[in-house]
Amino acid sequence: MQIIHGKTKNEWLKEVPVLQEVLERKESYWIHSKDSAFNADNANILPAKKRLMRFAPYFAHKFPETNKNNGMIESPLIRVHQMQAHLEQDEGISIPGRLFLKCDHALPVSGSVKARGGIYEVVKHAEALAIQSGLLTIHDDYRKIDSPLFRSFYSKYTIAVGSTGNLGLSIGLIGRTLGFHVDVHMSAEAKQWKKDLLRKKGVNVIEHPSDYSEAVKLGRLTAANSAHCHFIDDEKSTDLFFGYATAASRLKKQLLEKQILIDESNPLYVYLPCGVGGAPGGIAYGLKQAFGRHVHIIFAEPIESPCFMLGMATQLYSRVSVQDFGLSNRTAADGLAVGRPSELSSMYMAGCLDACYTISDNRLYRYLADLIDTEGIYAEPSAQAGFYGPILTSLNNHVPETATHIVWSTGGNMVPPDIREDDYSRGKQERMNIQKN
Ligand SMILES: *Cc1c(COP(=O)(O)O)cnc(C)c1O
């Protein structure tokens, strides 16, 4: 009999009933009984907010698309009426409340959620190096960083990262802009166009035939052996995590601008696509800090890569991989193709996460085409995972009409036109297939 982390499969199924569906590769929904005493600490987030403010003049100067937000790398929050109506009709249910899309597919600089944590960690490192060497003080105008002096200074240092694609893209773009050498260790899922684009920007792309965890491990090892190299650790970095967390207070402001107040009788539901858990975890941590128990956090993962749900439900956290339970970690959602959850994020999410669900690749593609047809918005397959959330939440909970739902879109603006077209065709095909059945 096969033993998985000390138990037989049947013992696991008895202890964690949701595994039945998960292991049959069915779309499934799991409610987490979380640690209710949890309090997110603003002291973790505030330094990141302040540091990003210091860099704002540099961003505004270097990336004109951030000008309208005064150098904040931020995305719009928009109401998606048509998509909500479509989802309701598609499922034959009603979704009480209003549906919004948080457009991180349109974040400036790198077109994905990784422009939050990834860029934050790089600029934090860059600031520390420059202050140590006497080139910069925190009272300076950071536009001075855009100079041959600074670029030549940073060219003596390397930044390395392991990635399924988008983190590498963010780190590579900001790293090269500052003048760093950048090594990106790419896993097998990483799309060719992402590697091509990075190489064009002068990034050293190292391709690994293995999956994401292996790419991270190899990157970590190579970096440990070289002085002057900073490794950005997607599985363990608190800088990445709290960089993501800065999203929440900005979102709160956007909601207020729309005169949406979140409280006891006006709850907020946020649906976040989850890979290793860093981006959704960091954002969730910030949201808990901003909205307390009035926000409900729901993570979405592909049916072959539900590493976060598996880690939380079995309480094995980062000790478990989807492969341990016989799942393949193969999905078209490259940003979510992660077999093992982040230890750091798992620890924090024990007190934040309300539910997790899994979603099929077919459904991701259907939503991709639907979002184009209803709202005229392209987002990559990974970024569609949140759209199943309002449906599952409405079916499994009592959701009041006063609720606000936010689907967090996570990537897409850098995807080349030919790939967008292929994605759309597949989505339309999946729609037709489902109508035939
Ligand atoms: C990275 C990524 C995610 C998930 O972030 P994790 O930190 O890996 O959980 C979701 N969507 C897209 C498009 C991504 O690139």
Side-chain angles (χ1 to χ4, degrees):
M1 177 101 41
Q2 195 204 345
I3 300 293
I4 311 165
H5 292 276
K7 292 179 188 141
T8 65
K9 190 172 155 186
N10 279 337
E11 284 168 339
W12 276 120
L13 290 176
K14 226 162 143 191
E15 203 172 295
V16 187
V18 73
L19 283 179
Q20 185 74 44
E21 283 177 1
V22 171
L23 301 186
E24 286 172 13
R25 293 154 172 86
K26 287 189 181 141
E27 294 182 320
S28 42
Y29 181 81
W30 175 72
I31 295 176
H32 177 220
S33 34
K34 65 177 186 294
D35 169 11
S36 57
F38 181 81
N39 251 323
D41 189 352
N42 199 26
N44 285 322
I45 309 171
L46 209 57
K49 275 164 71 172
K50 289 190 176 156
R51 186 167 287 110
L52 288 171
M53 296 278 271
R54 292 200 287 278
F55 272 90
Y58 173 79
F59 292 143
H61 166 71
K62 209 63 201 165
F63 307 109
E65 71 267 37
T66 67
N67 258 331
K68 61 176 185 300
N69 276 324
N70 301 317
M72 289 284 134
I73 297 170
E74 199 39 79
S75 76
L77 175 71
I78 60 169
R79 182 89 184 264
V80 284
H81 281 109
Q82 308 294 335
M83 185 66 174
Q84 180 170 2
H86 172 82
L87 291 170
E88 290 175 330
Q89 192 201 358
D90 194 34
E91 297 289 330
I93 65 160
S94 114
I95 299 168
R98 292 173 290 184
L99 181 63
F100 289 84
L101 187 66
K102 179 61 177 161
C103 298
D104 275 11
H105 59 273
L107 270 177
V109 186
S110 65
S112 82
V113 68
K114 305 298 194 305
R116 296 185 184 278
I119 289 177
Y120 174 67
E121 180 157 352
V122 172
V123 299
K124 181 178 177 197
H125 181 59
E127 185 188 55
L129 288 174
I131 289 176
Q132 269 164 31
S133 72
L135 281 175
L136 186 75
T137 78
I138 60 166
H139 306 294
D140 288 348
D141 179 340
Y142 279 25
R143 279 177 294 189
K144 76 189 270 193
I145 293 171
D146 182 31
S147 66
L149 174 69
F150 273 81
R151 275 190 293 276
S152 125
F153 170 68
Y154 289 132
S155 73
K156 292 185 291 215
Y157 298 91
T158 300
I159 293 175
V161 66
S163 170
T164 63
N166 285 340
L167 184 62
L169 216 51
S170 285
I171 304 289
L173 295 177
I174 186 67
R176 291 297 298 144
T177 302
L178 285 159
F180 285 101
H181 274 286
V182 183
D183 288 344
V184 175
H185 296 264
M186 288 284 204
S187 61
E189 304 78 34
K191 300 273 192 278
Q192 190 59 43
W193 68 266
K194 293 183 184 172
K195 298 180 213 168
D196 295 343
L197 177 65
L198 283 175
R199 290 195 170 114
K200 221 173 77 191
K201 299 278 179 187
V203 170
N204 179 27
V205 178
I206 303 123
E207 297 181 60
H208 296 285
S210 44
D211 86 351
Y212 158 87
S213 303
E214 281 301 305
V216 171
K217 204 188 288 172
L218 290 165
R220 199 185 280 137
L221 272 176
T222 335
N225 290 328
S226 81
H228 282 176
C229 182
H230 178 78
F231 180 68
I232 295 188
D233 200 322
D234 199 13
E235 290 174 343
K236 297 185 171 152
S237 163
T238 49
D239 289 338
L240 274 178
F241 194 79
F242 296 119
Y244 288 122
T246 59
S249 59
R250 299 174 181 186
L251 177 78
K252 191 172 190 173
K253 211 166 137 224
Q254 288 179 320
L255 285 167
L256 281 175
E257 280 160 14
K258 296 185 189 306
Q259 282 158 30
I260 297 170
L261 201 65
I262 302 302
D263 59 20
E264 189 72 45
S265 43
N266 299 277
L268 175 63
Y269 294 83
V270 183
Y271 310 97
L272 295 141
C274 175
V276 70
I283 292 168
Y285 184 90
L287 290 169
K288 273 286 161 195
Q289 201 279 319
F291 301 105
R293 63 195 163 85
H294 307 312
V295 63
H296 302 266
I297 306 289
I298 300 105
F299 284 5
E301 297 177 291
I303 50 174
E304 292 280 3
S305 311
C307 67
F308 211 88
M309 188 203 276
L310 213 54
M312 296 299 275
T314 60
Q315 299 189 340
L316 290 165
Y317 308 110
S318 62
R319 295 194 301 282
V320 76
S321 78
V322 300
Q323 289 92 345
D324 294 344
F325 277 90
L327 298 172
S328 72
N329 192 29
R330 272 199 287 274
T331 167
D334 53 336
L336 312 182
V338 176
R340 186 185 298 281
S342 146
E343 189 180 318
L344 177 84
S345 182
S346 300
M347 180 184 85
Y348 283 121
M349 288 311 100
C352 293
L353 185 71
D354 290 278
C356 275
Y357 62 85
T358 58
I359 179 167
S360 71
D361 279 15
N362 296 349
R363 188 186 292 272
L364 292 175
Y365 277 96
R366 287 204 309 273
Y367 290 160
L368 187 149
D370 296 343
L371 188 63
I372 291 175
D373 289 342
T374 56
E375 308 281 346
I377 295 171
Y378 171 86
E380 64 187 83
S382 299
Q384 308 290 338
F387 279 114
Y388 197 23
I391 298 162
L392 292 173
T393 300
S394 303
L395 289 171
N396 289 286
N397 305 271
H398 173 71
V399 178
E401 284 295 343
T402 52
T404 299
H405 304 265
I406 298 180
V407 166
W408 210 285
S409 172
T410 47
N413 260 21
M414 298 199 77
V415 178
D418 54 324
I419 294 172
R420 295 182 187 212
E421 269 166 44
D422 290 349
D423 285 347
Y424 181 70
S425 310
R426 173 158 175 202
K428 292 303 266 187
Q429 192 59 49
E430 297 294 352
R431 259 280 147 240
M432 266 158 59
N433 292 349
I434 201 162
Q435 271 149 8
K436 268 185 254 158
N437 294 331

